[in-house]
Amino acid sequence: YQGRVHGELTLNQSKMGRLRHKRMHKNIKDIKKKYRTRRKTKDLDQIHEDLKPKNVEAVVNAPIDGDLPGFGQFYCVHCTRHFAENQLLLDHMKTKTHKKRVKNLSITPYSQKEADMAAGMGSYIKAAPVAIASMEELHEMRQNVAAALETEAAKA
């Protein structure tokens, strides 16, 4: 024990001087950045771009990738997460974090036009909520595309 004992300095303190404190790495910036960016996901405006009709098919019908969990076939577009199995994806869709993300995505992302109007360069009109496609709708779209590809392959 290297603390005070009944108001007196111990032998270790009198010889060593001041004791070191914990948190020796608190101002090392690269360690902070490593932990801050470790679980970085897409921002909401980037997910809105993925949810547009022209981009949804490319995201949902992704090619098989061996580096991703479940070979990249079980993907939650709203949370930008890959899952190993379909059941894990279905369980994820019932969680609080997924429901919260879907609710946050229903808000229209800010645009430069809206920022200009809020700054006094026009009349500000609050944006209407955006209709977000559910995972069931996205999977139905995927099945429709797969069925269309099969029929084209059968004709050829």
Side-chain angles (χ1 to χ4, degrees), residues 21-134:
H21 295 283
K22 292 184 179 181
R23 298 186 58 185
M24 298 298 293
H25 302 287
K26 69 176 186 168
N27 284 328
I28 299 177
K29 304 299 183 209
D30 56 337
I31 291 178
K32 285 183 176 181
K33 187 171 185 176
K34 178 178 80 170
Y35 288 118
R36 186 173 60 238
T37 59
R38 181 174 170 207
R39 293 190 185 102
K40 181 74 175 135
T41 60
K42 288 185 177 180
D43 291 327
L44 294 178
D45 56 342
Q46 294 171 323
I47 297 172
H48 271 283
E49 288 296 319
D50 287 346
L51 288 171
K52 289 185 177 177
K54 61 182 179 181
N55 299 332
V56 167
E57 291 182 24
V59 172
V60 172
N61 298 316
I64 293 176
D65 186 0
D67 293 335
L68 296 173
F71 298 108
Q73 299 303 303
F74 309 107
Y75 181 67
C76 178
V77 181
H78 305 105
C79 302
T80 64
R81 285 187 62 190
H82 291 275
F83 294 93
E85 299 175 354
N86 191 30
Q87 186 60 42
L88 295 175
L89 176 62
L90 295 175
D91 291 344
H92 162 74
M93 288 170 27
K94 298 175 187 174
T95 61
K96 184 177 182 178
T97 55
H98 176 78
K99 292 175 184 176
K100 189 182 291 187
R101 177 61 67 98
V102 171
K103 184 177 180 182
N104 288 341
L105 285 170
S106 67
I107 300 170
T108 307
Y110 290 111
S111 63
Q112 185 60 42
K113 180 181 175 186
E114 188 175 0
D116 291 341
M117 288 189 294
M121 303 171 85
S123 59
Y124 180 72
I125 301 170
K126 187 175 181 181
V130 177
I132 300 296
S134 67

Side-chain angles (χ1 to χ4, degrees), residues 143-156:
Q143 291 172 352
N144 293 340
V145 169
L149 291 174
E150 287 176 7
T151 54
E152 288 178 12
K155 288 180 184 178

